[in-house]
Amino acid sequence: MKIGFTFSVVAALLSWASIAYAADPNPLQDFCVALPDNKADVFVNGKFCKDPNLVVAEDFLFQGLNIPGNTSNQLGSAVTAVNVNQLPGLNTLGVSLARLDFAPYGLNPPHTHPRATEAFFLLEGELYVGFVTSNPANANQRNKLFTKYLKAGDVFVFPQGLIHFQINVGKTNAVAFAGFGSQNPGVITIANAVFGSDPKINPDVLAKAFQVEKNIIDYLQAQFWPNSN
């Protein structure tokens, strides 16, 4: 019964995402199964289409979302993404999804999805989640934080492009599923992008931006920044 309920909710999340305003353009045909990235240095906004006469049912199938992700890492979390890169049949359809696993006290660190709103469904466990608004027009105001403690069965929405996070506040594992309004929502993990970029951002820039001593920035840039997404 739980499995049936879970996939009913996932289907609902995808249906919601498909009617939400998203960054992806509307398709101009029934489907456009993605081909592997072109090797001729020619890029398009999306993926090249497979010949429709060669499309098979397997192009629309992803298996294994019932398998827990490996949370044995520094963050204690794992994201199993199902976007156009894993499921070619999603190309041009404007939706994708993910499974998120959390060990006790595991964290999905502050990050953004630049191309999609996220509908987040908690199947098991208890999470503390939240997002921060963009810079307010009034310079005297601060970015506003919206947070909530989620229990199994709850759904929370993270607006497109806004920084958000999830952390397991329970003593047991937690499992969640997310639906996105894009075939490729993208992920920018804030700490990784700021302190773990290649090449590194000039530490003088970061020291002034964060109003700290340069040696603190040097320490942070020397760390290994794991990417759970």
Side-chain angles (χ1 to χ4, degrees), residues 17-25 94-95 115-117 160 180-183:
S18 68
I19 62 175
Y21 291 104
D24 295 2
V95 295
R115 295 182 289 275
T117 291
Q160 179 176 338
F180 301 94
S182 171
Q183 68 179 42

Side-chain angles (χ1 to χ4, degrees), residues 119-170:
F120 184 90
F121 164 68
L122 182 59
L123 176 65
E124 298 177 5
E126 183 178 2
L127 298 180
Y128 174 68
V129 308
F131 68 86
V132 181
T133 62
S134 57
N135 294 357
N138 185 342
N140 295 319
Q141 294 180 338
R142 296 191 176 188
N143 305 67
K144 188 171 182 179
L145 173 66
F146 292 87
T147 63
K148 202 70 179 176
Y149 286 93
L150 302 186
K151 296 185 181 298
D154 290 347
V155 174
F156 197 81
V157 174
F158 301 106
Q160 179 176 338
L162 298 187
I163 296 173
H164 59 284
F165 61 87
Q166 303 102 20
I167 185 169
N168 185 358
V169 293

